[in-house]
Amino acid sequence: MFVSPLREPLINGSKDYHQITDDIARATEGRPTLPWLLGLGLSSTIMLLGFLMIGLTIWYGIGTWNLNRTIGWGWDITNFVWWIGIGHAGTLISAILLLFRQKWRTGVNRAAEAMTIFAVACAGLYPLIHMGRIWLMFYIMPYPNTRGVWPNFDSPLLWDVFAISTYLTVSLLFWYIGLVPDFATLRDRSKAKIRKAIYGTLSFGWKGSSKQWQRFEAISLVLAGLATPLVLSVHSIVSFDFATSVIPGWHTTIFPPYFVSGAIFSGFAMVLTLMIITRKVLHLEDYITKAHIESMNKIIILTGSIVGVAYITELFMAWYSGNIYEQYAFMNRAMGPYAWAYWIMMTANVVSPQLLWFKKLRRSFYFTFFLSIVINIGMWFERFVIIVTSLHRDFLPSSWSYYVPTLAEVGIYVGTLGLFFTLFLLFARTFPVIAIAEVKSILKTAGNQVIEKMHKQEMESENPATVE
Amino acid sequence: MAKKKVLYGVFNDDHVLLDAVRNIRAQGVRIQEVFTPFPIHGIDEAMEHRPTGLHTAGFVFGLVGVSLMFLYMTWINTVNYPLIFGGKPFFSFPAFIPILFEVTVLSAAVGMVVVYFVLNGLSPIRQKPVIDPRSSDDKFIIAFSADELSEEEKHEISNMLHENGATEINEKVL
C-alpha cells in the first residue's frame, strides 16, 4: 500500500496492535490515580452546589433569577446555547469527518462524542428549569391528552424540543455502536470476574466476525450520513428561536449558518481543552499528536473566520437596511452599557483565532490550550451579547433595564460545568477514551514506522547515490 | 445449545489473513467465519458476503416515521384542534419541515440500530461464547466448523492454514 511520505504520522512510538490495546485500556485498569480522585471530588462538589441552586429555583420559582419583563432570557438561555454549541464539534468529528475519510478523527472521536453527549445533557437542563414548573414538562409532548390542547407545531421552541431530543438520542446511539467492539476488547482482557461480567454486558456479546464488521461499517456510514445534516439542523433550529422573533438584533436570516459555525468553533475549542489535558493525564501522547492538534486548529481558523465575517455582516446589514431599530441595536451593542461584553466577544472570537495562522502557534500545546479557553469564554459572551443586549433596551425606553445574574443563576452555570467534568472524568476512567479498533485500522497507513519507511524509500529513489 | 466444535487458525497480521482467506476459499474449503480486532478492507469480497440490507431498513424506518408524523401533525392542526397561530393557515407545511426532518432522522437511526443489534445477534443478556479472546486484541482468526470433519480433513485444513501463515492452530469445543 502506498502512503504519502508527506503525511504526518498520527500514531507515534512504532506501536503494534497489542501495544495499542494496552495503552488505551490501561487507563481503565488499576487503581484510580490521585489527580483523578481530586478532580472528581472537586467537580462533583461543584455539581452538587449547582443542583442545590436548581433545587432553590424550582422550590421558589423563577423569581430567584434576575429576569424581568424586559429581559426575559438571561444566563439561562445563554448557557443553553453555549452548551449545545459545544456539543457540535463531537458530531462534526465523528460524522462529517468520517464521510470525508479523515484519518485523524480516529484519535479524538470517542472523547469528542462523549463530550457531545455530556454537553447536550447539560444544555437540556436549562430549558427544563426555565419552564418554571418542571413537573409539567410533559405538556410539551404531543400525545392525545385530556387537557384538550396540543403543542404548537409552528413554534421554533417546539422544534427545539424535537431537535435536541433527536440529537441526544442519535449521538448516544452512534457513540454506543462504536463503543461495542471496544467494550469487547476490554471484556476479553479482564481478569476479575465482575469486571468481565460488566464489560461483557456492555459489549452485547460482540465477537468481531467479518459479517459483524460489515454491518458495523454500514451502520457507521449511514448514521454518519444522518448525523451530518442533523448537526447542522440542530443549531439552525436553535437560531430560529431568535431569528423568527421580531427583536432587532435577532431578526436576521444570517443566524442559522452563523450559529452553526459558531457552534463548531466553540466545540473544537472545548475538544482541545479536554484532549490536551487527557493526553497528558492518561499518557496518550502517542495517539493524540501535534498533527491532531494542528488539524483541529485549522478548523478553528476556518470557523472562527466565518464567525468574524458574520459579526461584520451583521453590522453592515444594520447600516445598509436603513432600519433605525436595527441600527440602534448594533450601536447599543458596541457602545452601550454592555459594550464591555461586546468587545470581549470581538477580541476573543475574531482576533484571537487569527493568531493560528502562525504555524508555530498552532502546533504549540500550551498556546492552543490557552487559546481554547479564550475561545470558550468568547463564545459564551457571544450568546450573552446576542441575548441580553438585544433585549435590555426594548422599544419603550421607560422599560429599559440592566441585567446582572443572581447567585442562583451563576450557581447553576457553574454547577453544569461540574456536571460536565464529573461525567467526563467517569468516562475517562471506565470507557476506552480512544476508539481502539479504529486506531488499529489506521496503523498501517498512519503509524510513524510506516511513514518513516516510505520517506526513506522516497529519499533513496530521488538520490540513488546515497543507497550505498 | 448443542456443543459445537471449531478448528481455527491464528494469524498475526491482517494482510496475511486476507491472503489466507482467499487461498483457502480458492481451494474450495468452506470457512465458517473470520474474527478480527478491526474491520479489514476486502474481507467482504474475499468471504463473498452479500451486501447488508441495513441501509434499506434505515430508509424504510425513516419513510414510515416521517409519513406518520406528517399525518399526525396535519390531523392535529386541521381536523382535531384547528387554531390560528400568527395568522398562518391551519395547514402550514413550511413550519412542519423542521420537525419532519428531526423525526425522519430519529426513526431511521433508532430503527436501524435495533435491526443492527438483532441481525448481529448482539444482546446484553444472551451471549454466545468467543472463540479466542485474543481476537479482539491483536490476533486474526479463521474458524472452521469441525463437527462433521474427519481426522483426515482436519489434518488437511491444518496444513492449509500452516502454509498460509497461521502461527498456531487450535481446536475448541464451544
Side-chain angles (χ1 to χ4, degrees):
Chain A
M1 197 183 306
F2 177 75
V3 180
S4 164
L6 294 174
R7 292 261 175 218
E8 214 175 325
L10 294 170
I11 305 167
N12 284 326
S14 304
K15 304 286 181 194
D16 61 33
Y17 295 133
H18 182 63
Q19 264 174 301
I20 294 178
T21 316
D22 269 353
D23 287 346
I24 298 169
R26 196 191 304 120
T28 68
E29 291 158 354
R31 295 197 164 276
T33 56
L34 190 64
W36 184 83
L37 284 172
L38 287 176
L40 188 70
L42 182 71
S43 59
S44 54
T45 312
I46 295 173
M47 174 183 79
L48 291 176
L49 284 174
F51 286 165
L52 181 72
M53 292 302 170
I54 292 177
L56 283 177
T57 303
I58 293 172
W59 186 258
Y60 291 107
I62 298 297
T64 39
W65 298 353
N66 258 352
L67 301 177
N68 53 37
R69 201 216 62 85
T70 310
I71 300 156
W73 284 356
W75 270 46
D76 167 74
I77 301 299
T78 304
N79 299 334
F80 160 69
V81 182
W82 187 69
W83 276 122
I84 280 286
I86 283 174
H88 280 49
T91 322
L92 185 109
I93 292 176
S94 59
I96 300 183
L97 297 183
L98 177 86
L99 298 181
F100 282 114
R101 304 263 176 229
Q102 290 295 308
K103 283 181 190 144
W104 61 268
R105 60 177 277 287
T106 55
V108 288
N109 69 341
R110 174 66 46 73
E113 281 173 55
M115 178 199 77
T116 295
I117 289 156
F118 304 150
V120 176
C122 289
L125 272 176
Y126 287 99
L128 292 180
I129 310 165
H130 200 145
M131 286 180 182
R133 285 183 270 180
I134 192 169
W135 52 93
L136 295 180
M137 69 181 183
F138 59 91
Y139 276 26
I140 57 176
M141 301 315 291
Y143 68 99
N145 56 68
T146 50
R147 300 186 302 280
V149 286
W150 293 101
N152 178 3
F153 291 112
D154 300 0
S155 162
L157 296 178
L158 190 74
W159 303 348
D160 242 359
V161 174
F162 278 87
I164 309 279
S165 49
T166 302
Y167 187 42
L168 184 63
T169 316
V170 174
S171 307
L172 207 59
L173 292 175
F174 198 10
W175 190 52
Y176 202 81
I177 293 285
L179 272 166
V180 163
D182 288 356
F183 279 142
T185 304
L186 291 185
R187 169 199 66 199
D188 294 342
R189 297 170 50 88
S190 302
K191 306 241 160 41
K193 220 169 177 175
I194 301 175
R195 189 180 156 87
K196 205 175 182 79
I198 292 173
Y199 283 120
T201 308
L202 289 174
S203 74
F204 276 53
W206 176 266
K207 294 201 289 186
S209 69
S210 60
K211 194 67 196 173
Q212 282 183 334
W213 280 121
Q214 184 201 23
R215 296 196 183 104
F216 176 89
E217 296 223 291
I219 198 170
S220 304
L221 199 62
V222 180
L223 282 182
L226 287 171
T228 299
L230 179 67
V231 69
L232 302 179
S233 84
V234 170
H235 227 62
S236 298
I237 292 178
V238 169
S239 81
F240 291 163
D241 293 345
F242 302 95
T244 58
S245 75
V246 290
I247 308 290
W250 288 3
H251 188 67
T252 51
T253 47
I254 198 181
F255 260 30
Y258 161 23
F259 268 50
V260 170
S261 53
I264 293 165
F265 179 55
S266 69
F268 269 91
M270 190 56 111
V271 175
L272 284 168
T273 314
L274 289 174
M275 294 322 286
I276 289 173
I277 302 175
T278 309
R279 73 188 282 279
K280 266 271 169 271
V281 176
L282 301 182
H283 306 293
L284 296 170
E285 287 95 337
D286 287 336
Y287 301 94
I288 302 162
T289 63
K290 272 200 170 135
H292 290 90
I293 303 291
E294 191 182 7
S295 301
M296 290 193 265
N297 276 335
K298 283 178 181 165
I299 295 187
I300 287 201
I301 303 179
L302 172 70
T303 50
S305 304
I306 297 176
V307 168
V309 171
Y311 291 166
I312 295 161
T313 311
E314 269 190 324
L315 292 176
F316 171 77
M317 286 311 294
W319 166 76
Y320 188 70
S321 68
N323 180 321
I324 53 167
Y325 299 104
E326 195 74 16
Q327 285 169 352
Y328 180 74
F330 282 90
M331 288 292 276
N332 185 46
R333 267 188 200 177
M335 286 179 280
Y338 284 106
W340 56 275
Y342 182 81
W343 292 107
I344 291 177
M345 163 189 110
M346 276 302 208
T347 322
N349 295 346
V350 183
V351 181
S352 72
Q354 301 306 324
L355 292 171
L356 293 172
W357 289 106
F358 296 102
K359 190 162 187 171
K360 230 192 178 124
L361 291 179
R362 79 175 174 256
R363 291 180 66 85
S364 152
F365 289 109
Y366 290 106
F367 179 77
T368 304
F369 184 73
F370 168 73
L371 192 77
S372 71
I373 306 264
V374 170
I375 292 171
N376 279 321
I377 296 171
M379 283 307 292
W380 187 89
F381 271 101
E382 179 199 293
R383 280 63 180 253
F384 180 79
V385 164
I386 291 175
I387 293 171
V388 176
T389 63
S390 307
L391 288 174
H392 84 117
R393 288 187 167 174
D394 64 2
F395 297 100
L396 202 61
S398 63
S399 43
W400 287 5
S401 176
Y402 191 82
Y403 162 81
V404 184
T406 60
L407 189 64
E409 291 174 271
V410 180
I412 293 171
Y413 173 56
V414 179
T416 48
L417 282 172
L419 171 66
F420 178 77
F421 284 105
T422 306
L423 290 170
F424 196 83
L425 283 167
L426 290 174
F427 155 78
R429 174 77 193 136
T430 50
F431 285 34
V433 181
I434 292 177
I436 302 175
E438 289 190 44
V439 168
K440 282 178 189 165
S441 70
I442 64 159
L443 180 66
K444 286 203 169 160
T445 48
N448 64 325
Q449 65 271 46
V450 182
I451 290 178
E452 276 155 22
K453 205 174 115 199
M454 283 289 172
H455 196 66
K456 225 169 127 198
Q457 283 174 4
E458 189 94 334
M459 297 291 279
E460 280 163 5
S461 61
E462 274 172 20
N463 235 341
T466 58
V467 171
E468 289 309 303
Chain B
M1 203 171 70
K3 296 267 179 201
K4 278 183 191 160
K5 252 195 200 164
V6 285
L7 174 71
Y8 65 95
V10 180
F11 294 77
N12 282 337
D13 186 88
D14 39 340
H15 292 175
V16 178
L17 173 102
L18 194 56
D19 290 337
V21 169
R22 284 186 186 131
N23 292 340
I24 291 172
R25 282 189 60 98
Q27 292 177 41
V29 181
R30 220 182 97 81
I31 292 175
Q32 192 193 9
E33 245 309 1
V34 173
F35 298 94
T36 57
F38 56 85
I40 295 172
H41 276 288
I43 199 102
D44 294 350
E45 291 79 27
M47 291 286 290
E48 285 173 40
H49 282 317
R50 275 185 302 146
T52 165
L54 264 177
H55 317 85
T56 323
F59 177 74
V60 172
F61 276 108
L63 194 67
V64 170
V66 73
S67 316
L68 289 180
M69 195 65 200
F70 174 70
L71 292 175
Y72 191 44
M73 285 199 289
T74 310
W75 174 74
I76 289 169
N77 274 16
T78 58
V79 180
N80 186 255
Y81 207 118
L83 261 183
I84 295 176
F85 298 112
K88 295 181 197 93
F90 295 138
F91 176 72
S92 43
F93 181 70
F96 291 176
I97 292 174
I99 291 182
L100 289 179
F101 172 75
E102 301 299 330
V103 171
T104 316
V105 171
L106 183 68
S107 38
V110 173
M112 253 178 80
V113 169
V114 172
V115 172
Y116 168 79
F117 280 134
V118 172
L119 286 181
N120 267 351
L122 297 174
S123 141
I125 354 169
R126 287 180 65 88
Q127 299 183 351
K128 288 173 190 156
V130 174
I131 292 182
D132 192 317
R134 290 172 301 168
S135 70
S136 66
D137 179 10
D138 60 344
K139 298 287 185 250
F140 304 81
I141 284 172
I142 299 181
F144 301 88
S145 167
D147 284 329
E148 287 155 21
L149 294 180
S150 63
E151 285 304 312
E152 210 166 292
E153 282 170 316
K154 279 183 197 169
H155 192 71
E156 212 170 287
I157 291 177
S158 303
N159 276 345
M160 214 183 275
L161 284 168
H162 255 308
E163 280 163 23
N164 281 296
T167 51
E168 47 183 287
I169 290 149
N170 298 318
E171 216 180 318
K172 208 172 186 177
V173 181
L174 290 179

